[in-house]
Amino acid sequence: MASEKRQKAIDLSHHLSYVSRARTTSPLKGLSKYMGRPGLISLAGGMPSETYFPFETVSADVLVPDSFTLKETGQESGISWFWKLFARSNKPKTAPVSIPKFPEAPGDVNLAVALQYGTATGIPQLQKFIKDFVDKVYQPAYSDYSILVQTGNTDGWSRVMQTIMNPGEGFLTEEWTYPSAVSASKPFGMHPVPVAMDKDGMSSIDLRKVLSEWDETVRGCRRPHVMYTVPVGQNPCGSTMGATRKKEIYDVCVEYDVIIVEDDPYFFLQQGDYVPKTDRGSESASHLNDEDWLSSLDPSYLKFDYEGRVIRLDTFSKYIAPGSRLGWHTCNPLFAERLERQGETSAQAPCGFGQSLVTQLLMTWKYDGYIRWLHGLAVQYKARRDFFIDCLADEFHFEPSSSEISFWKGCQVFDAYPKQSGKRLFMSEKGLGTKLFSFVPPSSGMFIWIQIHFENHPTYRSRHADEPDERLEMQLWTKIAEAGVLVSPGWFFAADTENPPTDEVEGHFRISFSNSDFESLKKAVHVFSKCTKDFFKA
């Protein structure tokens, strides 16, 4: 869509918080508009001399964009790239990058700028790369969107909260959601308002119901005007929200004047459906070139945002390195200006080392190289997901089923039973033994969300609601942790931890397959298997 055919963002200034309205341009930072003028001699700021910076150059050897294969070769594929990259006899292919203190040519990334006090919008070269990237990949539906570099999505959400919410207000979010987003809101007197989910993520039907039936007297606050959502790799459930659902939710948000905060760190880790190992071919290759792969991804809310009511949070944490502490907001110019004012008196700007290294990396790779890198990562994380579920299948018997649980309704669910050997546990109607847990393979992200069937635990029928005993979820979690494997307890992820979406007999774990090597993943599954089976024999 050509920029001249897109309308500008509408006026959404009534969403600004009291604190945000009170922010003014930081006096010293206001001088920055004069910086960069030819021949200017600046004696205004307290900037140290770049001559005294102890770094003459910063250099690195970076992997080439096609370091990761696009081929899927079964269980060995996930391990093969590791050995290919790091075995001494087959060193990875790299390219050198170097950042000098002073630029050799106009437009060069340089330490004199990157390590100096900077603006809250990020160094110009990074801004330009991100602006081009957003325009090509996310294709916002209005013309005057702005880019603002920040220090990662957790801080990005915190800044957004303070910019468009006041103490005492609620924000809409999925019934299971990212715990840090909830924790960040509580000290400010803000609270989550859970919205039911289905297999596509947040339910547009329940969202409309919550908004249309809002009663300020009963709820104790005005109707929420902000929505926080993780639509891809939904954390913790792993679902992927498609274009149809996003259009539905966007239309509801337009009708009820709601700002959408799209926290999307897993956008490029869309993996598609899990195919059991027995149904997979021995070797398959990605049949899509990089641009076709990119086009196959479910789009961002930005693509449907013709009013400028989406604040998108992006991060380099999952694609380059969390320690770079680097991400960005994409939003309308009004919100960007207010977020910039906040940044001027807090972090000021992301770390210059992180900005300069990541920027030089992206300028070396260029747009096409970065897309190839992202495509390779997507294939590798898909291999990790498949390997982890394959390991579970080696330890448990899977039986396909359906579920009436909201966020799994319409999905093929895998019910896990102990494999029959020796003495059997009490039998189900199907003669499969005790149903231990259920899950739906994630279609994106880094996590598997499993439901433990504590109603099948031997002590369940003898327990009473008023017993002070620790919940079965935490009892099992403790046994697994003491055996050497750490997973996340499910209750962490309830938007409303005092009234979680399920009753006391159900429990959940979020398990990550993203970090450990494959041998450790297999060992972890074995430990989880033994602890769970032993627990249900108690």
Side-chain angles (χ1 to χ4, degrees), residues 170-172 193 210-211 214 221-226 256-258:
F171 60 93
L172 302 153
V193 176
V210 169
L211 291 169
W214 192 266
C221 64
R222 72 167 176 149
R223 190 175 68 198
H225 66 106
V226 175
Y256 288 92
D257 192 21
V258 174

Side-chain angles (χ1 to χ4, degrees), residues 60-102:
D61 292 327
V62 301
L63 296 176
V64 296
D66 60 351
S67 292
F68 302 110
T69 179
L70 300 182
K71 293 184 177 181
E72 301 168 23
T73 55
Q75 287 197 9
E76 285 73 33
S77 64
I79 305 174
S80 62
W81 71 263
F82 181 86
W83 290 114
K84 177 183 176 182
L85 285 176
F86 300 110
R88 292 183 179 179
S89 60
N90 191 8
K91 291 185 178 181
K93 186 176 180 181
T94 61
V97 298
S98 183
I99 304 156
K101 180 179 287 187
F102 298 104

Side-chain angles (χ1 to χ4, degrees), residues 170-228:
F171 60 93
L172 302 153
T173 191
E174 294 94 341
E175 57 187 329
W176 298 102
T177 192
Y178 178 48
S180 292
V182 176
S183 296
S185 70
K186 290 183 177 179
F188 294 100
M190 304 163 189
H191 60 275
V193 176
V195 178
M197 300 170 62
D198 61 19
K199 64 183 181 64
D200 295 316
M202 181 182 287
S203 164
S204 56
I205 295 173
D206 196 66
L207 175 63
R208 181 181 293 279
K209 178 178 172 63
V210 169
L211 291 169
S212 64
E213 297 179 1
W214 192 266
D215 186 325
E216 290 189 10
T217 303
V218 174
R219 296 277 194 164
C221 64
R222 72 167 176 149
R223 190 175 68 198
H225 66 106
V226 175
M227 183 182 85
Y228 170 84

